[in-house]
Amino acid sequence: MIPLSTKMRPSKLEDFVGQTHFMFEGSLFYNSIRNRTFDSAIFYGPSGTGKTTLARIIAAEIDSSFVEINASTTGTKELKNILENASVRFYGLQQETTCLYVDEVHRWNKLQQDSLLKALEEGIIKFIGSTTENPYFSINNAIISRVRNIYEFHRLSSQELVIILTRTLKDKEKGFGGLKIRYDEDALKIMADMSNGDCRVALDTLGFIVDNLSEGAVLDKKIVEEAMQQQTTFYDKEEDKYNLLSALQKSVRGSDPDAAVHYLARLLEGGADIMMIGRRLMVMASEDVGMAYPSAVSIVTSCVQAAQMIGLPEARINLAQAVILLASCPKSNASYMALEKAVADLKRRKVDDVPLHLKDSHYQGAAGLGRGQGYLYPHEFGGYVTQQYLPDNLYKEGVQYYEPTENGSEAAFKKYLKELKRIDEKNSKG
């Protein structure tokens, strides 16, 4: 049986839902498809966000021969045959460019990826590679330099998933429109929330429910809870969700581990997923703890990653450790506030250019432009040397964004920075 998520793939550009940060009517991306000027690209993002669907739509819209392969099952020999056929199509009577879509392209080794270079340079193929991993680390620089754009796909919002689910229930051709399924709007919203931005999960869950729904039954919250094997309490009220997350963060910020773990328990018992909690904890590690205990961010990240690997219910233990740690350690938001002050300055005033001695000097002709001239390399002076780093006007005003506290480890950083300032003052006096 074909999964519902496969059956419901849109075939037209106007039916595609999501990725509105780059794909909207009138955008350069949208126009390049409509004008058939679309060039090679890499699609990067989580599963179920529309990478494959959009690649197929692009191939159809630009009326190109389309070849779709998966890097995990296609080797160098098969790729060579595909590229040879593409070359014949390009240089032969057809004079047609082949659109080659490679799913999970990060699974190819360097040699396999490099097999694409000649075809890319000659324009024999329009290449679309999709990956769930950061392409700047998983794909060769030679490939990236020949690809016009890298588009990052975001998880779909709950509102976008509800649109897709509703369309599926009403679609008489590919969906369930002919069955006249009765459903609660709240149930669809909960299903969308629980799918964590993954359209494949949302649609295949809906397919499972409809295929096994008793005659006359209504698709409601209880049905969704049963299908997803997860409590729906947390998703019943949007206000409750954010109230609990807010209470958790404020309890951590207030150094109350008992209250913090209480709200963690309520989130977990209500059905909140690991990553929803985990993302908030990792933000807290930098926003609320910061330099008072710099190791918090790495420890919390490890706890969240461990929770993901283990899964519920045992993942609760890892999350509890992260929450207790954050609530029990010293707090400082000085690094976060330093950034806020710097951004505020950029928005409200004119800031001078980067000082010449700090500019990049690693290219021919830089010296003639004064780039890097007079820069003092701190390591040649024992690790520190008095030198201007801020733009001229900010330096003359003695601007200070970072104001360290006396809390935890930050007290040591404050003492160190104070000593450096004393050295600078002494040197300025001669």
Side-chain angles (χ1 to χ4, degrees):
M1 182 182 291
I2 301 174
L4 182 62
S5 56
T6 300
K7 285 170 60 179
M8 290 304 300
R9 285 187 193 274
S11 56
K12 294 185 293 185
L13 199 58
E14 55 267 27
D15 292 336
F16 185 82
V17 177
Q19 313 315 322
T20 53
H21 54 292
F22 67 80
M23 220 296 284
F24 55 89
E25 189 171 354
S27 69
L28 293 176
F29 181 89
Y30 182 95
N31 290 344
S32 72
I33 299 169
R34 283 292 192 226
N35 299 334
R36 299 186 178 184
T37 57
F38 180 84
D39 210 338
S40 298
I42 292 171
F43 293 167
Y44 155 53
S47 299
T49 52
K51 299 187 296 294
T52 301
T53 297
L54 192 52
R56 291 177 180 177
I57 291 174
I58 289 168
E61 290 281 346
I62 64 177
D63 195 23
S64 175
S65 177
F66 183 62
V67 178
E68 179 180 342
I69 58 177
N70 190 297
S72 62
T73 56
T74 305
T76 308
K77 184 179 178 181
E78 295 95 325
L79 176 60
K80 185 179 178 182
N81 290 334
I82 291 169
L83 295 178
E84 285 176 354
N85 291 334
S87 181
V88 170
R89 194 175 292 112
F90 183 74
Y91 291 113
L93 292 174
Q94 292 165 288
Q95 293 187 332
E96 183 182 62
T97 299
T98 299
C99 184
L100 174 62
Y101 174 60
V102 184
D103 194 12
E104 299 187 89
V105 66
H106 60 272
R107 293 183 181 273
W108 271 348
N109 59 35
K110 185 179 186 300
L111 181 62
Q112 289 171 307
Q113 291 185 25
D114 285 348
S115 300
L116 295 169
L117 294 178
K118 187 172 183 291
L120 279 170
E121 287 174 349
E122 295 180 5
I124 292 170
I125 60 170
K126 287 185 184 295
F127 167 70
I128 302 176
S130 73
T131 174
T132 55
E133 298 187 10
N134 190 327
Y136 292 103
F137 297 110
S138 61
I139 298 177
N140 295 351
N141 288 334
I143 296 288
I144 289 178
S145 69
R146 288 164 175 80
V147 172
R148 182 174 295 280
N149 283 307
I150 294 176
Y151 296 99
E152 183 174 1
F153 282 57
H154 298 165
R155 294 184 184 278
L156 274 66
S157 69
S158 293
Q159 292 86 348
E160 289 168 339
L161 288 176
V162 168
I163 290 171
I164 294 169
L165 292 171
T166 304
R167 178 191 293 173
T168 303
L169 286 166
K170 294 180 177 180
D171 190 321
K172 293 183 178 180
E173 185 180 341
K174 298 186 292 183
F176 301 121
L179 300 178
K180 297 181 179 178
I181 303 293
R182 292 189 298 150
Y183 60 91
D184 291 340
E185 296 285 349
D186 286 347
L188 295 188
K189 176 128 186 9
I190 290 170
M191 194 188 307
D193 282 343
M194 285 183 159
S195 299
N196 197 27
D198 189 324
C199 185
R200 187 179 292 112
V201 170
L203 282 174
D204 289 342
T205 300
L206 178 62
F208 171 73
I209 289 173
V210 173
D211 287 343
N212 298 284
L213 198 62
S214 300
E215 190 175 345
V218 178
L219 197 168
D220 58 16
K221 290 185 284 186
K222 284 291 182 185
I223 294 289
V224 172
E225 185 176 87
E226 181 185 349
M228 303 197 85
Q229 292 295 293
Q230 191 174 335
Q231 292 186 46
T232 62
T233 312
F234 179 70
Y235 299 93
D236 278 351
K237 292 181 183 177
E238 197 75 11
E239 181 184 0
D240 288 350
K241 176 197 301 187
Y242 294 111
N243 283 343
L244 288 173
L245 288 169
S246 175
L248 171 64
Q249 182 162 9
K250 286 171 181 170
S251 299
V252 163
R253 188 180 293 149
S255 298
D256 189 331
D258 300 309
V261 80
H262 166 80
Y263 291 115
L264 172 65
R266 284 175 65 169
L267 285 164
L268 291 168
E269 287 301 302
D273 64 81
I274 291 170
M275 279 315 298
M276 183 176 293
I277 298 170
R279 283 191 292 268
R280 183 62 70 101
L281 295 180
M282 287 189 281
V283 168
M284 290 183 215
S286 291
E287 180 183 347
D288 295 310
V289 175
M291 296 297 289
Y293 185 45
S295 299
V297 68
S298 57
I299 296 172
V300 169
T301 299
S302 296
C303 286
V304 173
Q305 289 173 341
Q308 281 184 283
M309 291 174 65
I310 294 167
L312 293 168
E314 287 86 354
R316 299 151 68 99
I317 302 167
N318 305 108
L319 295 176
Q321 179 185 350
V323 166
I324 296 294
L325 171 79
L326 289 172
S328 304
C329 66
K331 308 292 186 299
S332 170
N333 72 341
S335 57
Y336 168 55
M337 293 311 297
L339 175 63
E340 291 292 288
K341 292 172 190 173
V343 170
D345 258 0
L346 293 175
K347 289 181 177 179
R348 68 179 174 81
R349 61 183 296 187
K350 183 182 180 300
V351 176
D352 289 345
D353 194 12
V354 174
L356 278 173
H357 64 283
L358 297 185
K359 289 188 174 181
D360 181 29
S361 60
H362 295 89
Y363 60 92
Q364 190 173 0
L369 297 172
R371 305 291 196 262
Q373 297 298 303
Y375 172 67
L376 304 177
Y377 189 54
H379 298 292
E380 292 179 352
F381 296 86
Y384 182 75
V385 61
T386 298
Q387 187 168 216
Q388 175 185 341
Y389 293 101
L390 278 168
D392 289 343
N393 59 335
L394 300 183
Y395 178 74
K396 288 172 184 174
E397 293 173 23
V399 166
Q400 181 180 345
Y401 295 123
Y402 178 50
E403 298 177 9
T405 69
E406 293 285 351
N407 301 337
S409 299
E410 196 163 36
F413 297 123
K414 181 177 183 178
K415 183 178 179 182
Y416 173 69
L417 293 172
K418 195 172 181 179
E419 178 60 22
L420 297 184
K421 199 167 186 178
R422 190 187 64 78
I423 293 171
D424 289 342
E425 289 172 351
K426 180 181 178 182
N427 289 338
S428 66
K429 292 176 182 176

